Amino acid sequence: MSVELKQQIDRAVSVVRRRTSLTPQVAIILGSGLGALASEVSADAVIPYGEIPGFPRSTVEGHAGNLIVGRLEGKAVAAMQGRAHFYEGYSLADVVFPVRVMRALGAPVLLVSNAAGGINRLWSSGDLMIIADHINFMGSNPLMGPNDPDLGPRFPDMSQAYEPELIALAERAALAEGIPIRKGVYAGVHGPSYETPAELRMLRVWGADAVGMSTVPEVIAARHMAMRVLGITAITDMATGEQVKTVTHEDVIAAARELEPKFIRLVKRIVKEMT
Ligand code: HPA
């Protein structure tokens, strides 16, 4: 099984390598409604997920499906425009496969983004949050099954999943760009139904500041492979559990698109300052 995984990674890598020889310094995952950063990348190759064996394709509106390898702010990057989710029916191992491929292409850093509901009562829709830590409430783990020790350890440490140096860099970048920034805990849930008020109140008591349906699996896989991780969350709705407030996917996408210019400025600055 793990031999198979390595072969699958190799196959995907060789397809990408036929299109570009760039070695990405940063792997980027663009979340719901945040795909426009891809057009800022001066692309060496734009590869639809359908052409890369093993890449799961997102069926969700707001998620294009392209791997873009090119340059951003002077750095070689591999950017995923759209991602697959657990709730689409993929296994978490499938969901994180592209992260494994970007790692195998050479990327030592993962910059992962998402849209999420804001649980922290002091925050607002439109805020950006640096992920300080996460809660895996998805009921599964991408590392389930046999472990390949060449990829990473059986029991990876998660005590500093989000690298303090990268968090500090992101805070400095936000300050330099004049972008107010939050920092907090992201709770990853299974979805696709949004949370009930009781679930939201529970998540807050547990210490979550935001809730979404992605990111946690990719970060676990990245840490498994010893990648340095930075997470940025776009707060697209307030999900505090106190008032009856409905949320729709259309609202989420619209809010993400609205804050997207700010998100793009922040990510470009972060990538520029990265060493
Ligand atoms: N809950 C879960 N996932 C989300 C939300 C939310 O309120 N908003 C965007 N993604």
Side-chain angles (χ1 to χ4, degrees):
M1 162 101 172
S2 54
V3 174
E4 248 174 58
L5 175 59
K6 221 162 5 190
Q7 282 171 349
Q8 283 166 358
I9 295 169
D10 288 347
R11 265 200 294 271
V13 166
S14 69
V15 167
V16 176
R17 280 283 164 253
R18 259 180 252 145
R19 308 276 287 268
T20 175
S21 59
L22 270 189
T23 296
Q25 294 160 277
V26 188
I28 302 174
I29 302 177
L30 298 169
S32 302
L34 301 172
L37 178 74
S39 57
E40 304 276 326
V41 176
S42 101
D44 199 38
V46 178
I47 313 170
Y49 292 164
E51 293 178 19
I52 311 174
F55 259 54
R57 265 181 283 178
S58 179
T59 57
V60 187
E61 193 244 323
H63 283 266
N66 294 308
L67 180 71
I68 294 138
V69 184
R71 293 200 170 270
L72 181 69
E73 297 293 322
K75 302 272 185 340
V77 302
M80 288 176 62
Q81 197 179 25
R83 60 144 71 82
H85 303 80
F86 199 22
Y87 62 73
E88 294 175 76
Y90 293 109
S91 72
L92 286 186
D94 290 338
V95 166
V96 305
F97 182 73
V99 178
R100 299 213 179 275
V101 172
M102 292 191 290
R103 177 64 168 142
L105 287 168
V109 177
L110 175 67
L111 196 168
V112 57
S113 67
N114 58 62
I119 292 178
N120 188 316
R121 290 192 196 93
L122 302 176
W123 298 0
S124 318
S125 167
D127 284 352
L128 286 175
M129 177 187 98
I130 298 167
I131 306 180
D133 204 349
H134 77 217
I135 295 171
N136 179 7
F137 196 47
M138 295 183 126
S140 190
N141 192 294
L143 309 182
M144 294 254 307
N147 183 58
D148 182 345
D150 288 344
L151 290 175
R154 171 76 285 189
F155 301 106
D157 177 61
M158 292 292 286
S159 61
Q160 284 195 321
Y162 300 83
E163 193 189 89
E165 272 175 36
L166 290 176
I167 291 173
L169 186 152
E171 287 179 310
R172 285 197 304 274
L175 193 63
E177 290 291 330
I179 297 169
I181 197 92
R182 311 290 193 183
K183 187 165 64 174
V185 172
Y186 175 93
V189 296
H190 193 306
S193 51
Y194 288 117
E195 300 69 41
T196 65
E199 287 164 348
L200 293 168
R201 292 192 298 270
M202 176 196 75
L203 289 168
R204 180 167 47 242
V205 170
W206 284 4
D209 295 292
V211 56
M213 303 171 193
S214 67
T215 302
V216 164
E218 291 108 316
V219 171
I220 292 172
R223 292 303 299 147
H224 180 237
M225 299 180 292
M227 295 176 86
R228 304 168 62 203
V229 173
L230 175 66
I232 308 277
T233 288
I235 305 288
T236 51
D237 55 280
M238 286 309 291
T240 61
E242 262 103 26
Q243 306 138 349
V244 178
K245 212 168 147 281
T246 56
V247 54
T248 66
H249 184 62
E250 290 67 36
D251 296 340
V252 167
I253 297 296
R257 296 227 192 282
E258 203 168 312
L259 62 76
E260 199 171 27
K262 177 168 81 167
F263 168 81
I264 289 174
R265 256 197 312 131
L266 177 64
V267 171
K268 283 172 74 173
R269 186 73 181 229
I270 290 169
V271 169
K272 185 176 175 187
E273 308 285 341
M274 253 179 204
T275 48

